Amino acid sequence: MTTTLDVMGQVCPFPLVEAKEAIEKISAGDELVINFDCTQATESIPRWAAESGYEVTNFEQLGEAAWTISIKKN
């Protein structure tokens, strides 16, 4: 199952804070897709995922200042 978290327009660290809360609510094996436009989160979210043992399955730039990242909960 895939859950989408849209945090466009939120300044850091809120996209990361919301991602941490959202991933707690999904089941192991599910994916959390985070859409964001905070430049700092391009580093903080992947780093948090790696440190937490989650797999980043997709990370791409959507526009000039927007990104999407998919994190699989193990």
Side-chain angles (χ1 to χ4, degrees), residues 17-68:
V17 170
E18 292 216 13
K20 287 179 178 181
E21 290 176 4
I23 206 151
E24 291 298 320
K25 297 174 184 172
I26 66 172
S27 302
D30 288 354
E31 277 193 330
L32 177 64
V33 177
I34 308 160
N35 298 319
F36 62 97
D37 57 1
C38 171
T39 306
Q40 290 172 313
T42 61
E43 293 180 9
S44 63
I45 291 177
R47 183 174 54 239
W48 156 75
E51 289 172 354
S52 301
Y54 303 132
E55 179 186 354
V56 175
T57 58
N58 183 46
F59 186 18
E60 62 183 296
Q61 192 162 350
L62 298 175
E64 203 168 295
W67 296 267
T68 185

